[in-house]
Amino acid sequence: MMKYSSEMVTCLFFFFIVYLAGHGASLNCTGSCGNRGPDIRFPFRIKDKQPDHCGYPGFDLSCSEDNSTVLKLPTGLSLHIERIDYIYQLIYARDPQGCFLRQRRLNFSLGASHFQIKNDWLDDWTLFNCSLSSEIRLTHNISCVGTFKHEVYAVESSIPISGSDLLSCTKMYNIYGIPHGMLRAENYVLTMSWSYPTCGSSETECYSILPHTKGMLFYLSSFFQINNWHLNM
């Protein structure tokens, strides 16, 4: 019995090493969308180009026709990823057309995703179409949405417009939960963070939380404990 258990432990340990070598590809699953795109590695993966074990669920990216790195949020909003900071777990993204506020259904409610906007000052705004001759106070001129025939202004949705200059304008649409800086800067860079999985600088630590690896580790731990008991009898 002792000899059999010892051989089984040795064989199973060897099998585990082979298993990690075969399935540990997530430790080397680095890709990118073109030469200028950010490195894509765990917990991210390129959907339909890299196997599932290269990434964590909810961190799928894709490559556009012009080799931009694209993240699609649960709300349907698509972002072009400029940079990924794996140490501090941050991603830097832009609107594909350089103007987030052009998107009529802009909504940064990220509750269904792993990401959070790295900004504590988020507000809801309403956009108004005004003539070029209008002089609107207490609003933000959104130049990337306006045209040569009209200007577009944003005002906080909570502010009543009765008695204001906006009565001569036409309401366009609402935008929800956006950083204040997005109103002031064209081609705004949005910073988002993720809190789980917590990788830091160690991809090995990330890989250890994957379901198939955790299951194997649990099985091996149990097996070694049982057989160690037999060996000591």
Side-chain angles (χ1 to χ4, degrees), residues 73-137:
L73 298 175
T75 57
L77 181 66
S78 293
L79 305 174
H80 280 191
I81 306 303
E82 298 279 309
R83 185 163 69 91
I84 303 175
D85 187 327
Y86 291 92
I87 302 297
Y88 295 101
Q89 300 191 176
L90 298 171
I91 55 177
Y92 301 87
R94 297 182 189 270
D95 179 77
Q97 297 181 346
C99 182
F100 281 105
L101 304 187
R102 286 180 184 166
Q103 304 202 38
R104 291 180 176 271
R105 296 183 178 180
L106 187 62
N107 188 337
F108 281 109
S109 176
L110 305 179
S113 75
H114 292 283
F115 306 103
Q116 306 85 40
I117 295 178
K118 197 69 173 178
N119 191 311
D120 294 328
W121 190 4
L122 304 175
D123 287 305
D124 299 338
W125 298 81
T126 303
L127 268 58
F128 289 87
N129 180 337
C130 305
S131 67
L132 290 174
S133 60
S134 301
E135 293 183 5
I136 312 298
R137 298 184 297 271

Side-chain angles (χ1 to χ4, degrees), residues 2 6 18 22 29 40 81-82 119 121 133 165 183 192 197 215 223:
M2 182 182 297
S6 177
V18 174
C29 282
I40 299 172
I81 306 303
E82 298 279 309
N119 191 311
W121 190 4
S133 60
D165 299 327
L183 300 170
M192 296 191 297
F223 183 86

Side-chain angles (χ1 to χ4, degrees), residues 39-50:
D39 285 344
I40 299 172
R41 54 185 173 86
F42 197 89
F44 296 93
R45 77 176 183 102
I46 304 175
K47 186 178 180 180
D48 299 327
K49 289 188 177 181
Q50 293 179 316

Side-chain angles (χ1 to χ4, degrees), residues 28-33 37-47 50 54 59-63 68-70 81 84 86 203:
N28 299 301
C29 282
T30 300
S32 65
C33 297
D39 285 344
I40 299 172
R41 54 185 173 86
F42 197 89
F44 296 93
R45 77 176 183 102
I46 304 175
K47 186 178 180 180
Q50 293 179 316
C54 281
F59 285 81
D60 289 344
L61 301 176
S62 59
C63 300
S68 295
T69 305
V70 179
I81 306 303
I84 303 175
Y86 291 92
E203 291 178 71

Side-chain angles (χ1 to χ4, degrees), residues 147-217:
T147 70
F148 67 94
K149 292 183 178 181
H150 68 269
E151 292 181 337
V152 172
Y153 294 89
V155 61
E156 286 188 57
S157 299
S158 60
I159 296 177
I161 65 170
S162 57
S164 72
D165 299 327
L166 290 170
L167 290 175
S168 61
C169 303
T170 302
K171 179 180 176 179
M172 298 174 64
Y173 47 86
N174 295 323
I175 50 180
Y176 302 96
I178 68 167
H180 193 268
M182 190 178 288
L183 300 170
R184 302 192 302 267
E186 290 189 36
N187 210 18
Y188 179 81
V189 178
L190 180 70
T191 305
M192 296 191 297
S193 63
W194 75 89
S195 56
Y196 186 85
T198 303
C199 302
S201 59
S202 174
E203 291 178 71
T204 305
E205 180 182 348
C206 276
Y207 182 70
S208 68
I209 69 174
L210 286 175
H212 65 266
T213 306
K214 290 179 70 176
M216 176 59 70
L217 290 174

